[in-house]
Amino acid sequence: MSATRSRPPTITDIARQAGVSTATVSYVLNDTPGTRIPEATRRRVTEAADDLGYVPHASARSLRTGRSDLVVYAMPAVTLGPFAARFLAGLADELQDRGFTLVLHGDSASRGVRAARRWARLRPAAVIAEGHRLTDAARDLMRRSGTVLVALGGAPEAGLPTLVLDHRGMGEAAGRHLAGRGCRDVAAVIPAEPVLRDMGEARAVGVEEGLRGAVEGDAGGGQSRDGESADGDAIAMRRTPMEETPEDAGRVVREWIRDGLPDGVFGYNDEHAGLLLSALIDAGVEVPGRVRLVGADDLPLCGMLRPRLTSVGLRAEYAPAEAAERLLSLITGEEGADRPLRLWTPELRVRASS
Amino acid sequence: MSATRSRPPTITDIARQAGVSTATVSYVLNDTPGTRIPEATRRRVTEAADDLGYVPHASARSLRTGRSDLVVYAMPAVTLGPFAARFLAGLADELQDRGFTLVLHGDSASRGVRAARRWARLRPAAVIAEGHRLTDAARDLMRRSGTVLVALGGAPEAGLPTLVLDHRGMGEAAGRHLAGRGCRDVAAVIPAEPVLRDMGEARAVGVEEGLRGAVEGDAGGGQSRDGESADGDAIAMRRTPMEETPEDAGRVVREWIRDGLPDGVFGYNDEHAGLLLSALIDAGVEVPGRVRLVGADDLPLCGMLRPRLTSVGLRAEYAPAEAAERLLSLITGEEGADRPLRLWTPELRVRASS
């Protein structure tokens, strides 16, 4: 019963109980093609395996496939919203059906060799991790252990298959919308937490492009999707660093009031936007009358706030089974190593706050 | 470079490169006491290990300790809030410092032998999972592979060390508070999702006890913490099943208006409470004037809602390092197998909604 005395049953235990060689056990359990094993022997082996409670080892390299079946998803330093949680749960199921085991590695702070050594302890077939954590030394360590790396990021990572989450595109959708509503002085929030800053910057660059695109679209003959920004003025955008706390949201709003309120705000994500909305209400600033506000991620809280929060969500491009297939084709090297995979498309959901 | 050709370096590779036996490599890397190895040999081994990028295998059983160093946290079927996410990230760090690797298993739907087989593939030292998933057959399979099981649940699980999350106590804190505010007709929301129902029922039982306790406390000489419920009346409590959607929150509120509004509501958690608040506002029902509302988990959204949401949060009983030590003492069997571990205590945070 104690962990120090018991050990998982091995194929040697099965071989002993079934009275056959370990090679025979391996052939039967792996269903190796080209072997002729009598049905009675086959049954003796599977019965012994069931009786002993044998379970194959996820990170033992299979002689047949030359790889382990473990996929490690290195959790990014962002709260796992319901969208991401559902995606990962679905992915775990789909991978399980295909003989892979997905585990999440919760240490989101380490990067480089330090992180790679932690992942490598699991002997995974593949690791999915944010691109900025994959230093050259980390890539080298993973490569030498035969682990496939899949980057996660806002843009394709050179030399690696990348799962692209289009932060720039999310910002762009918000920028176009705010420009279309007539905003001419927009603030884009940049989260103060160091691990989130790159993501915030990518979204802010997108907001700038969206604002510019809306103006150029108008100048070029009204191709803007929103009708209200037809004057072609340049639109100013400032970056506003903010911690994800009510206190810092209060500070930001006080400074805006002192230095001049923006007429449009992209809150980086729904939590930051929700904190800002709360601080704006407390300061007596009308939303959307005086300031139009847009969040991102389209969390359920958008519908609970008053006014309800406009947000840029993500639309899944593929059903879970196809998403898993496409991800596996990167892991097993069936597609080009540089091929980016876009599973989601930004999609604006307009509500009362903008 | 390809996953099918490369493999992680082993102690045999190190032995070959350093020109020593595998036993010597094992002694050096495990720092085995009682062996005398010349410093030059020791250096040759560690240099070869570094050069080859050797990383020990988390789920290989160490000859020295007789166990793997992998701890699997089987994710419950609840959204990982910032509180739980911070706890798990802290736990991962603390366990890492103590030579253990924590991974999260995202398949939250399977239970019994099906779940146990999935966990066993990882050859973990220990699995932390909700008690209701640990059927007798699952426990047997884990036991035979020498894996320590730690249950996660609202109450100690017979025969297993349990990490107790006091759902009943959370409900009780809400019930006492609502009774103290003068509520006499209370509704406790039960989440409709099957995997959440037990948790909802445990919290509802707690609400009932809290309401009764407040009344008895008054009858016995005013021991209630809240001063307003001094009349000693029995307090009615109904259970209200609800899906976590705006549509179902709307249905619940319509039925309450038709059948008689409760004067106090425990929303099960902050998301359900937030959806109900939104539906109550839309229906023109004043909160807290007509209905007092309490959530649970104390998520950041409580401060974003208007009125701000009263919620039952959890206070950590120990600093992360001590929590990890206590959890490890369960895993390594240093404490009694039946010993429950309570890392958190329910704590009411009163805001405007109640």
Side-chain angles (χ1 to χ4, degrees), chain B residues 168-180:
Chain B
R168 200 205 47 74
M170 293 176 82
E172 190 182 356
R176 275 201 169 266
H177 172 69
L178 288 170

Side-chain angles (χ1 to χ4, degrees), chain B residues 83-131:
Chain B
F83 181 86
R86 262 199 312 275
F87 168 73
L88 286 173
L91 185 65
D93 274 351
E94 296 292 341
L95 292 182
Q96 193 83 45
D97 289 348
R98 290 161 179 77
F100 286 82
T101 297
L102 179 76
V103 295
L104 316 183
H105 200 281
D107 156 39
S108 57
S110 68
R111 61 191 296 276
V113 171
R114 187 179 156 86
R117 290 184 68 89
R118 292 183 171 190
W119 302 327
R121 291 178 75 89
L122 297 166
R123 297 288 186 273
V127 172
I128 306 167
E130 292 160 293

